[in-house]
Amino acid sequence: HHQYLPDKITAEPGVLNKKVIAALTAMGHQVEELTDTYGNMQVVIANKKTRRVEAASDPRGVGSAEVLR
């Protein structure tokens, strides 16, 4: 996960291997591996150029994803 402030990348434990963390750090990113998982995540991606919408739901939690047209 990355957002504008705080300016750092956070990741669930074990998601990023040492090579990936080293590469991100070499590019100037601050990387923090969390001690706990995020939990139940949902996402919607809307591409304005292609007018394509995608959705996903974290299978570890409650919920589902569906794009209605």
Side-chain angles (χ1 to χ4, degrees):
H1 173 76
H2 187 277
Q3 61 190 36
Y4 178 65
L5 292 173
D7 188 14
K8 66 181 171 183
I9 296 170
T10 57
E12 292 181 334
V15 171
L16 302 177
N17 64 42
K18 292 179 186 205
K19 185 176 179 180
V20 170
I21 292 172
L24 290 167
T25 301
M27 288 187 272
H29 296 286
Q30 179 185 350
V31 180
E32 176 186 347
E33 187 173 60
L34 303 174
T35 57
D36 202 0
T37 60
Y38 286 123
N40 192 14
M41 303 294 288
Q42 316 299 323
V43 65
V44 174
I45 302 169
N47 185 321
K48 291 181 180 180
K49 288 183 180 180
T50 64
R51 299 181 58 104
R52 182 179 170 98
V53 176
E54 298 177 68
S57 180
D58 188 337
R60 298 171 297 175
V62 177
S64 64
E66 184 177 356
V67 176
L68 304 175
R69 301 193 195 288

